[in-house]
Amino acid sequence: MKKYALSITIAAAFFAHQANAQEDKDKKNKGVGTEVVNVTSEYQATLNDAFKINDNPLIEDEDINQKKEVKYTIFSVPVASTFSPAKGEAAKVDNDSLAKFYSNYALFGFGNYNTIRGELGIVETIGSKNMYVGGLLKHISSGGGIENVQLDDSFSKSNLDFTLGQRNENNQWNTQFGAMTSKYNWYGTPADFFVSNFNFDLVDPLQKYNDVHIGASYESYIGAFEKIDARYKYFWDDYSSKESRFVVAPKFSVELPNNTVYINLEADYVNTQFANNGIDNLVDTYSHLNLSANPSIKFFDADYSLELGAGLTYILGKEQGIENNSLVIYPMVKANFNLVPNIVQAYLGAVGGVQQNSYADLADQNPFLAPSFVLRPTRTNYDVYAGMKGKLYHNLSYNVRANYKNEDDKAMFTINPYNINLQNKQGYQYGNSFGLIYDKVTTFTLFGELNFDFSGKAQIGLSGEYNSFNLDQYQNVFHIPQGKINVNVLYNFTNQWFADANLGYVGQRYEFSGAPISSMNDDIKLGDFYDLNVTVGYRPTAQWTIFAKGLNLANENYLRFNQYQVQGLQVLGGAIYKFDFK
């Protein structure tokens, strides 16, 4: 289950990114003479509070502030076109932060391809006890209509989430409940069908995904017990595949005079039962329980922090009735050094861990998965990194980093071949769905970014990443780019008019040819692509914003996944209304 960090800012509404705003630290009451003056005010909840609980780091560690993994989505209202910046989310266009004065918002947009997008976010305090209740409804759908596509390429996705929480002087708690429903079509058929005059009326490409999820979190500001998160998700599709996942993660810390001792525990269980695959009439089942312990000790002062620890994960696995247990030990070492305070910081470390791969998460990354594939965790034996970040000038910041990572059972998407001899084919068995293949992969990565901030008038972000891969069994990684570049420009013309332009480039990618491994590289090249998106907005009042968004403006009909062409030029227009009930 994902955590939902919701923001009512214009940028979040336009780019569908989640905001990770850091919480302000509580101010300590100061005594005057022998008297103590206590100032008490009612806690004002926001959507960020309702759907996210943040950790307050002791110092500005790189491991806390490191950039999120780059994510692409094929759907950019509705089919790809959005390339997320390497820093994890777009900078805010609306520098006036009008949303902070309003607890609630509503958004509606409509575009070509019969695209409909709607959002409603509400959060209100309850009484005077710092309690809050919130809800978020999100919907996006498209009627499809990609050129030269023979099957239905429409889709829709709706989410509804509720939350209830309270923030107290010594602790805070939060509970969540939600549901999701979505529809997609396996429209990416092989090119051979066009030659053989294949009868597409035989194919029903529709797939439906659904889930219900609940979660709870409790955080204490005093004592050794720091936090506990628990969440459960039940996920199923239209082919009777189903999955249950439960995660509980308690955290402990002990503050000592010059260091802090941490003990992080986690139990992550997933049980997946796939559909009858129609080939051997068997139902594939997988279950994995990952038990992890990550003890560490952190030393710090004003000029450095050093965390020394190790991680241990025991995997109790069962794949199609066969037990597959293993023990993974990995480093947890992180160091940060303020070479020039507030100007230059160096950081390095060696970390690892086990990623629990689930049907729900993988279908969220690639909804064109077949409802039957091999499922197992990915083990990161080590990820060694070193970098430097800081300021070149008061409005110019940078970050450069190098990583060397070693992974076992790295999951990669690959198209399932078309089997002409298979009788009674399902809608995903026409060479139009994806499975997974696994390999041991080492990755060397170079990453860099520059960020310019011209006093809120304009912001410019540049980022780039280069990857070099080495595999044990295959020639190439599949559906993973060799390089990525992103340029983002945000500009406020006036207090009412603003614009945002984003250009993303994704480098060479490969698809497995299906041929036996040999010294010849005969894998299919998917090619690189770039994507240009522009948003223009106008705020006639503090509560209303009118926007127009152009996506894939270069009309690049590239393949986001093998055989899956994205929509061409897209235009979406709409409005946002911010309001309070009180």
Side-chain angles (χ1 to χ4, degrees), residues 74-75 79-80 146 149 151-153 184-190 205 366-369 415 427-428 431-434 479 509 526 557-567:
I74 187 170
F75 301 109
V79 177
I146 299 177
V149 169
L151 297 176
D152 184 5
D153 61 309
Y184 297 91
N185 286 279
W186 289 292
Y187 66 86
T189 51
N366 183 352
F368 310 115
L369 276 172
I415 204 77
Y428 61 90
N432 56 337
S433 65
F434 289 86
H479 288 94
R509 297 153 301 142
L526 300 182
N557 296 321
Y558 55 82
L559 298 177
R560 177 57 195 98
F561 296 101
N562 184 28
Q563 301 175 185
Y564 278 84
Q565 179 180 315
V566 304
Q567 289 183 351

Side-chain angles (χ1 to χ4, degrees), residues 97-239:
S97 295
L98 296 177
K100 68 183 180 183
F101 300 110
Y102 298 95
S103 298
N104 315 304
Y105 79 97
L107 176 148
F108 179 79
F110 181 79
N112 61 335
Y113 295 96
N114 291 321
T115 299
I116 298 174
R117 178 176 176 182
E119 296 182 18
L120 177 63
I122 296 175
V123 61
E124 293 291 335
T125 56
I126 303 176
S128 59
K129 297 183 178 180
N130 295 343
M131 291 188 66
Y132 56 87
V133 61
L136 179 71
L137 172 64
K138 298 178 68 175
H139 171 82
I140 184 170
S141 61
S142 166
I146 299 177
E147 194 173 335
N148 297 324
V149 169
Q150 300 298 317
L151 297 176
D152 184 5
D153 61 309
S154 64
F155 90 99
S156 67
K157 184 174 184 179
S158 300
N159 299 77
L160 179 61
D161 287 277
F162 299 97
T163 187
L164 174 68
Q166 183 176 30
R167 191 182 298 267
N168 304 309
E169 181 179 355
N170 296 323
N171 59 68
Q172 65 177 356
W173 59 267
N174 179 277
T175 60
Q176 297 181 28
F177 169 78
M180 181 278 298
T181 183
S182 61
K183 297 180 181 180
Y184 297 91
N185 286 279
W186 289 292
Y187 66 86
T189 51
D192 294 347
F193 287 167
F194 298 95
V195 177
S196 59
N197 295 318
F198 181 80
N199 183 6
F200 289 97
D201 293 335
L202 299 175
V203 182
D204 178 9
L206 181 63
Q207 170 66 300
K208 299 178 183 178
Y209 298 115
N210 305 276
D211 79 47
V212 291
H213 48 270
I214 59 174
S217 177
Y218 177 81
E219 184 174 359
S220 176
Y221 304 144
I222 58 176
F225 176 76
E226 182 176 323
K227 186 177 182 181
I228 185 169
D229 290 304
R231 56 191 187 274
Y232 172 79
K233 176 186 285 189
Y234 182 72
F235 177 85
W236 71 98
D237 68 14
D238 204 35
Y239 283 79

Side-chain angles (χ1 to χ4, degrees), residues 25-46:
K25 295 182 179 179
D26 296 334
K27 295 182 178 180
K28 296 181 179 179
N29 298 317
K30 295 184 178 180
V32 180
T34 59
E35 299 292 326
V36 176
V37 179
N38 293 312
V39 180
T40 303
S41 62
E42 180 182 355
Y43 169 68
Q44 297 296 323
T46 67

